[in-house]
């Protein structure tokens, strides 16, 4: 697709699908990583005598979830090896991300990066939309119309995601919607997320299921109203999400990057992962 058509569609819909973005060899390697860590999917939480569930660590990667029905997130997956490092500035999407975030002005960073594995009954609640006054849900500069996207989610399918597989869902164009989605409205006030007792996002009015083949990428503004439908099929859905933002948006969970990884990264990748190098007095 030519650049003008792509820009038009991203502005209009708030998302793009990049077909075959990831090579078969890289998919194999990432799926092998998941196979090798299957025990963490089956038993993601360490109890260690503590009644509160805690994540388990694989080196600098931590198992995590926002809500149990979301499945298991392997947070800071960039620490998982070169195939995951490659995704930081992957040629299939990095130039689009830079353009829409307007990185020449805003810089570029990754707000959060994780691999998600979600089984039967798993889903995501409905969240976000044009009504939300959240700092990183900007889309364009109001006065000049220039790109100023506060967060772009790059969601990568590691296996096929079709009907019943718990696909991502979104409402095209809802990043510009001034009306509050009925499921996000309480007493005339808009929520970011529906109530935690809420239902799978797939059943919300106007939601569209986004089917992806392994290797496809769904690139979308976080401002769009979205979530994931319930997985009704057996087996597990495998995805990776890298969220890109201006460098002024701080890390969501603030995982500290290992020294090994920092040393290994190319200058371009390091500038995204550590856009503001720490400043310390000479003695520290
Ligand atoms: O897991 C999904 O399908 C949706 C993920 C999502 O909401 C996000 O990446 O912001
Ligand atoms: Fe989301």
């Amino acid at each position: 697709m030519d650049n003008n058509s792509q820009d038009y569609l991203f502005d209009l819909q708030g998302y793009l699908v990049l077909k075959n973005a990831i090579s078969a060899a890289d998919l194999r390697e990432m799926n092998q990583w998941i196979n090798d860590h299957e025990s963490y999917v089956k038993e993601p939480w360490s109890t260690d005598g503590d009644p509160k569930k805690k994540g388990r660590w694989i080196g600098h990667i931590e198992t995590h979830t926002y809500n149990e029905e979301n499945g298991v997130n392997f947070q800071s997956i960039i620490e998982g090896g070169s195939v995951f490092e490659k995704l930081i500035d992957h040629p299939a999407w990095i130039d689009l991300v830079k353009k829409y975030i307007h990185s020449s002005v805003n810089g570029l960073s990754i707000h959060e990066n994780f691999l998600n594995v979600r089984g039967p009954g798993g889903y995501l609640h409905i969240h976000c939309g044009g009504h939300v006054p959240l700092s990183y849900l900007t889309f364009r500069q109001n006065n000049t119309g220039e790109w100023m996207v506060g967060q772009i989610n790059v969601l990568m399918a590691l296996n096929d995601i079709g009907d019943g597989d718990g696909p991502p869902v979104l409402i095209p164009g809802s990043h510009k919607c001034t009306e509050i989605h009925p499921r996000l409205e309480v007493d005339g006030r808009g929520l970011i997320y529906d109530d935690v007792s809420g239902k799978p996002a797939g059943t919300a009015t106007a939601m569209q299921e986004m089917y992806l083949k392994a290797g496809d990428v769904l690139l979308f503004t976080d401002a769009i109203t979205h979530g994931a439908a319930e997985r009704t099929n057996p087996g597990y859905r495998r995805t990776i999400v890298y969220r890109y933002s201006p460098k002024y948006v701080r890390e969501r969970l603030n995982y500290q990057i290992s020294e090994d990884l920092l040393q290994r990264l190319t200058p371009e990748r390091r500038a995204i992962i550590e856009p503001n190098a720490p400043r310390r007095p000479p003695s520290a």
Side-chain angles (χ1 to χ4, degrees):
M1 198 190 302
D2 68 82
N3 290 346
N4 289 351
S5 307
Q6 219 169 17
D7 291 354
Y8 176 76
L9 284 177
F10 182 60
D11 186 44
L12 177 73
Q13 311 174 142
Y15 74 90
L16 294 170
V17 175
L18 311 176
K19 305 287 292 172
N20 287 313
I22 301 170
S23 74
D26 288 353
L27 283 176
R28 259 196 308 279
E29 205 175 324
M30 291 190 277
N31 277 306
Q32 188 58 50
W33 189 94
I34 302 174
N35 297 344
D36 292 344
H37 295 90
E38 220 174 353
S39 60
Y40 291 84
V41 175
K42 301 263 183 290
E43 252 182 76
W45 316 123
S46 146
T47 45
D48 264 350
D50 185 334
K52 265 178 71 189
K53 287 180 185 142
K54 283 201 276 200
R56 293 173 66 191
W57 290 85
I58 307 159
H60 285 75
I61 299 169
E62 188 187 22
T63 57
H64 158 271
T65 191
Y66 286 105
N67 289 300
E68 218 153 327
E69 67 274 8
N70 302 164
V72 182
N73 296 330
F74 291 86
Q75 284 281 359
S76 211
I77 192 65
I78 54 170
E79 300 270 6
S82 61
V83 71
F84 300 106
E85 289 165 33
K86 203 191 266 189
L87 305 174
I88 295 169
D89 60 349
H90 196 288
W93 58 80
I94 196 66
D95 287 343
L96 288 171
V97 165
K98 283 183 176 169
K99 174 165 59 176
Y100 298 142
I101 287 179
H102 212 141
S103 65
S104 60
V105 176
N106 293 308
L108 190 62
S109 67
I110 291 185
H111 183 57
E112 183 178 24
N113 68 89
F114 61 90
L115 185 157
N116 173 268
V117 181
R118 193 177 300 155
Y123 65 89
L124 245 68
H125 303 259
I126 178 176
H127 52 291
C128 299
H131 63 284
V132 179
L134 182 61
S135 63
Y136 54 77
L137 300 196
T138 54
F139 194 70
R140 300 198 85 134
Q141 212 284 341
N142 277 343
N143 296 331
T144 60
E146 296 217 60
W147 292 112
M148 193 179 71
V149 182
Q151 187 151 286
I152 293 189
N153 299 328
V154 171
L155 185 151
M156 314 161 206
L158 301 187
N159 54 4
D160 291 351
I161 305 175
D163 186 20
D165 291 332
V169 294
L170 54 77
I171 303 178
S174 54
H175 57 306
K176 298 189 182 182
C177 195
T178 48
E179 287 292 322
I180 300 169
H181 190 284
R183 219 188 257 181
L184 290 171
E185 200 205 300
V186 178
D187 302 330
R189 198 170 50 87
L191 303 173
I192 299 173
Y193 261 87
D194 65 351
D195 188 79
V196 281
S197 64
K199 308 175 237 352
T203 59
T205 305
M207 278 295 181
Q208 193 169 296
E209 300 201 341
M210 304 302 300
Y211 298 147
L212 303 165
K213 290 281 179 203
D216 290 351
V217 155
L218 175 64
L219 180 156
F220 60 105
T221 162
D222 200 51
I224 205 168
T225 305
H226 67 283
E230 182 174 355
R231 185 172 179 100
T232 52
N233 292 339
Y236 289 84
R237 197 198 84 154
R238 298 173 165 196
T239 56
I240 291 180
V241 173
Y242 281 26
R243 305 189 198 282
Y244 295 88
S245 281
K247 71 174 183 177
Y248 306 107
V249 174
R250 303 298 294 269
E251 253 276 329
R252 188 173 190 180
L253 299 176
N254 205 18
Y255 286 98
Q256 298 300 295
I257 308 301
S258 68
E259 203 46 44
D260 280 356
L261 176 58
L262 279 179
Q263 293 310 325
R264 241 187 357 254
L265 289 173
T266 62
E268 292 77 20
R269 290 175 189 164
R270 182 158 176 159
I272 298 172
I273 296 305
E274 192 190 55
N276 297 309
R279 291 179 83 87
R280 297 194 179 94
S283 56

